[in-house]
Structure formats: C-alpha cells, structure tokens
C-alpha cells in the first residue's frame, strides 16, 4: 500500500507525484509557493485544482513532522456554484 500512496499523482497537469511533493517539503519547501516553484505542482493549465490537496498535505507535515496516510482535500469554497438560468 505504501508504494501506491507514494506514486499517487497529485498534480495531473504536470504529472507530479506525491513522492516528489513530499520530497520537496522535506527539503525545505514550507509554503505553497515553495512547492509550486520547486515541483511545478499547482501551476498547471487547470488553474491549480491540486492545491486542495497540497495545502492540507503541507499543513499536516508542518504540524506533525510526518505525512498523512490519506490526504484530506480542502473543499472550502468548492460547493455548488451559483445557479444559472
């Protein structure tokens, strides 16, 4: 199961794996901008939809010094949009 977790693609636009992102964080990328600059995750043509995973992953690491088994996406502001007539 560990291998699957590590090879999980977080940023589909730029094909960036969770392993690459975790390595960047361990090596000093301690802000979202650091992660974007170091890995190019979160800056793809989709507008950064993977940031909903990057934020919680980084926050968990900074708080606990380890990475979670499962990333809980930040869905704040991602509810249904306004109804269109």
């Amino acid at each position: 199961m560990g291998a699957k977790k590590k090879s999980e693609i977080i940023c589909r636009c730029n094909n960036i794996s969770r392993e690459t992102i975790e390595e960047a964080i361990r090596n000093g990328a301690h802000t979202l901008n650091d992660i974007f600059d170091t890995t190019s995750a979160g800056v793809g043509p989709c507008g950064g939809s993977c940031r909903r995973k990057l934020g919680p992953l980084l926050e968990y690491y900074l708080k606990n010094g380890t990475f979670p088994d499962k990333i809980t996406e930040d869905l704040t502001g991602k509810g249904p949009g306004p109804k269109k007539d």
Side-chain angles (χ1 to χ4, degrees), residues 2 5 15-16 24-25 28 30 34 38-40 45 57 62 64 77 81 85:
K5 176 185 87 166
N15 198 35
I16 309 297
I25 293 170
H30 291 161
D34 289 344
T38 304
T39 67
S40 76
L57 181 66
L62 293 176
N64 300 293
D85 294 334

Side-chain angles (χ1 to χ4, degrees), residues 18 25-26 30 55-72:
R18 177 173 175 165
I25 293 170
R26 278 193 301 272
H30 291 161
L57 181 66
L58 176 61
E59 185 177 322
Y60 188 97
Y61 180 82
L62 293 176
K63 186 176 186 178
N64 300 293
T66 61
F67 294 101
D69 288 333
K70 182 176 188 312
I71 302 171
T72 303

